[in-house]
């Protein structure tokens, strides 16, 4: 009997497939051995359960899309575990029934990035260049490069982990805001950040120059934590818009809006308060605006009104001509420049 009986594995190799199989009769896994999709991992008994649970959770959250092309290649390797992290390989059959692939696209080892390519990726990622453009730049430098989009995504992911240096995502965000001299306010509950306000210094200069009209609205489902993102936008004298500030809020309640608007007011001069604030029909926001900016006029957003009119009225007009006539009359009414023209 082989001294490696029970630990002997069979590695079957084809063009795009690597499988681990046990030789002989299948046996139950020992207490200090864990297998993950054909990979055998040695672990202590105390950490075995936690690693299995975390692996299952990761598989459920992010299932990997893989494919294989079996060709019954007889090539065979045998792997023997002779100690902790030490293995011996034997070539049991060195014959292939297929020719070597002429292009290694899709093979992760062949498509790995060199040190120079990785530095290029990190630099372009900091410049907010899209992954597909980064891949194009890498391949233009080396036409023989076989990296894929998945290679770029993985490299960017690990580069972000290294840049965080053990900090949580919130700690990293606060650090970036401080490093880039953003004006930042946040409040927390039980050591958990519930609301975060930030404003760029140049946006503050624009706000103090053009404080007359502000547009406020929330966007949804744009982050993994499902926090509403409250956006505050200003308008210049040439009718161009600019970002004033952003606020992550735990919920759309009057208290959250009042806190965000009070942070905004601390940045403004008392003699240059906004004259008009445009919102949608968000009652909590409208009440908070009335409390923080009592002398400011509030009007509803024309775009939101138009969307509601379309949703309520379009189905009641049976013909296309009737809807177009109604829509033209509606826009003529909304675009009236004076009260006399409106009447």
């Amino acid at each position: 009997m082989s001294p490696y009986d029970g630990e002997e594995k069979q590695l079957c190799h084809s063009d795009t497939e690597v499988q681990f199989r046990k030789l002989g009769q299948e046996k139950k896994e020992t207490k200090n051995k864990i297998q993950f999709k054909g990979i055998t991992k040695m672990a202590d008994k105390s950490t075995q359960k936690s690693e299995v649970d975390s692996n299952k959770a990761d598989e459920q959250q992010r299932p990997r899309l893989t494919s294989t092309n079996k060709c019954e290649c007889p090539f065979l390797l045998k792997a023997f575990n002779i100690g902790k992290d030490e293995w011996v390989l034997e070539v049991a059959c060195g014959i292939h029934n297929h020719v070597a692939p002429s292009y290694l696209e899709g093979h992760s080892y062949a498509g790995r990035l060199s040190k120079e390519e990785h530095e290029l990726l990190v630099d372009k990622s900091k410049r907010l260049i899209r992954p597909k453009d980064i891949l194009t730049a890498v391949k233009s430098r080396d036409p023989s490069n076989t990296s894929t989009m998945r290679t770029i995504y993985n490299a960017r992911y690990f580069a972000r982990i290294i840049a965080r240096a053990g900090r949580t995502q919130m700690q990293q965000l606060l650090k970036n805001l401080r490093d880039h001299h953003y004006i930042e306010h946040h409040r927390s509950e039980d050591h958990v950040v519930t609301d975060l306000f930030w404003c760029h210094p140049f946006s503050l200069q624009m706000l103090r120059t053009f404080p007359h009209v502000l547009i406020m609205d929330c966007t949804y489902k744009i982050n993994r934590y499902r926090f509403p993102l409250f956006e505050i936008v200003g308008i210049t004298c040439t009718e161009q818009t600019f970002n004033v500030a952003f606020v992550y809020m735990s919920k759309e309640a009057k208290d959250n809006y009042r806190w965000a608007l009070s942070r905004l007011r601390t940045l403004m001069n008392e003699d240059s308060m906004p004259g008009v604030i445009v919102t949608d029909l968000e009652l909590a926001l409208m009440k908070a605006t009335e409390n923080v900016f009592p002398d400011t006029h509030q009007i509803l957003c024309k775009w939101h009104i138009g969307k509601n009119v379309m949703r309520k009225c379009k189905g009641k007009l049976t013909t296309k001509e009737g809807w177009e006539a109604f829509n033209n009359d509606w826009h003529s009414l909304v675009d009236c420049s004076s009260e006399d023209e409106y009447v």
Side-chain angles (χ1 to χ4, degrees):
M1 179 175 293
S2 170
Y4 307 111
D5 186 30
E7 295 183 357
E8 187 174 348
K9 303 290 182 296
Q10 180 174 343
L11 176 62
C12 181
H13 174 78
S14 65
D15 284 342
T16 58
E17 179 186 43
V18 178
Q19 292 182 334
F20 279 93
R21 297 179 300 176
K22 286 185 177 180
L23 290 178
Q25 185 178 1
E26 292 186 357
K27 298 181 180 180
K28 294 183 179 180
E29 295 177 346
T30 57
K31 293 184 179 180
N32 63 335
K33 186 184 297 182
I34 309 171
Q35 291 190 349
F36 298 106
K37 290 186 176 181
I39 301 176
T40 302
K41 182 176 180 180
M42 310 302 293
D44 294 334
K45 181 178 180 181
S46 59
T47 61
Q48 178 178 353
K49 186 177 185 301
S50 61
E51 290 185 2
V52 172
D53 293 341
S54 62
N55 184 72
K56 290 182 178 179
D58 291 340
E59 290 181 358
Q60 293 175 358
Q61 293 176 2
R62 295 190 302 171
R64 297 192 62 179
L65 300 178
T66 60
S67 61
T68 183
N69 183 20
K70 296 182 179 180
C71 61
E72 302 299 333
C73 179
F75 180 80
L76 184 65
L77 290 180
K78 292 182 179 180
F80 304 99
N81 181 223
I82 61 176
K84 185 177 182 181
D85 296 332
E86 294 185 9
W87 292 78
V88 173
L89 289 178
E90 286 186 5
V91 180
C93 179
I95 301 175
H96 294 273
N97 64 355
H98 56 85
V99 297
S102 58
Y103 191 62
L104 298 178
E105 180 76 28
H107 292 258
S108 59
Y109 184 80
R112 68 194 186 281
L113 298 175
S114 65
K115 181 179 179 180
E116 293 76 13
E117 291 170 342
H118 188 270
E119 292 176 352
L120 176 67
L121 177 141
V122 173
D123 179 68
K124 289 185 175 295
S125 297
K126 291 180 180 179
R127 300 173 186 272
L128 303 182
I129 297 177
R130 295 179 298 181
K132 68 175 184 179
D133 296 328
I134 296 177
L135 180 61
T136 301
V138 170
K139 289 184 178 293
S140 64
R141 289 164 58 101
D142 181 10
S144 63
N145 181 279
T146 59
S147 300
T148 62
M149 286 298 297
R150 176 50 54 191
T151 306
I152 302 299
Y153 285 130
N154 290 343
R156 281 162 53 96
Y157 172 75
F158 287 112
R160 286 195 296 267
I161 292 179
I162 294 174
R164 281 165 51 182
R167 290 181 289 269
T168 65
Q169 291 183 337
M170 180 57 68
Q171 291 172 339
Q172 181 67 16
L173 174 58
L174 295 176
K175 178 182 180 299
N176 289 338
L177 293 176
R178 290 192 299 268
D179 292 346
H180 294 84
H181 309 292
Y182 277 77
I183 301 164
E184 174 266 326
H185 300 280
H186 67 273
R187 63 175 181 173
S188 58
E189 182 177 339
D190 296 332
H191 305 290
V192 176
V193 175
T194 58
D195 301 280
L196 175 63
F197 174 101
W198 73 93
C199 171
H200 193 274
F202 180 74
S203 297
L204 178 57
Q205 296 179 15
M206 293 289 292
L207 173 63
R208 291 175 176 174
T209 306
F210 304 102
H212 312 293
V213 179
L214 297 179
I215 304 174
M216 303 179 182
D217 195 13
C218 261
T219 57
Y220 309 91
K221 299 180 180 180
I222 61 170
N223 56 82
R224 63 185 299 183
Y225 302 106
R226 303 293 180 173
F227 272 23
L229 177 63
F230 182 46
E231 299 182 73
I232 304 174
V233 178
I235 301 179
T236 68
C237 59
T238 56
E239 298 184 359
Q240 301 296 312
T241 59
F242 62 93
N243 293 320
V244 175
F246 298 92
V247 187
Y248 271 133
M249 303 188 304
S250 58
K251 55 185 177 180
E252 292 183 278
K254 180 180 177 181
D255 177 66
N256 300 81
Y257 281 121
R258 183 169 57 243
W259 179 85
L261 294 178
S262 64
R263 297 303 90 198
L264 175 66
R265 176 153 187 162
T266 60
L267 304 179
M268 307 180 68
N269 299 324
E270 289 298 329
D271 57 347
S272 59
M273 289 290 116
V276 175
I277 291 181
V278 183
T279 66
D280 59 355
L281 193 60
E282 176 63 46
L283 298 181
L285 174 58
M286 297 175 69
K287 293 179 181 178
T289 302
E290 185 177 355
N291 291 339
V292 180
F293 298 102
D295 299 329
T296 300
H297 297 286
Q298 295 188 54
I299 62 175
L300 296 179
C301 174
K302 183 174 70 172
W303 184 84
H304 284 92
I305 295 176
K307 296 291 288 185
N308 288 333
V309 169
M310 178 181 294
R311 184 170 64 252
K312 298 290 185 179
C313 301
K314 190 172 183 178
K316 297 182 179 180
L317 300 173
T318 57
T319 63
K320 181 179 179 181
E321 293 76 10
W323 165 249
E324 291 179 350
F326 171 81
N327 196 36
N328 292 333
D329 292 341
W330 164 254
H331 284 291
S332 298
L333 180 67
V334 173
D335 295 335
C336 291
S337 57
S338 65
E339 186 176 350
D340 295 336
E341 185 180 354
Y342 180 86
V343 175

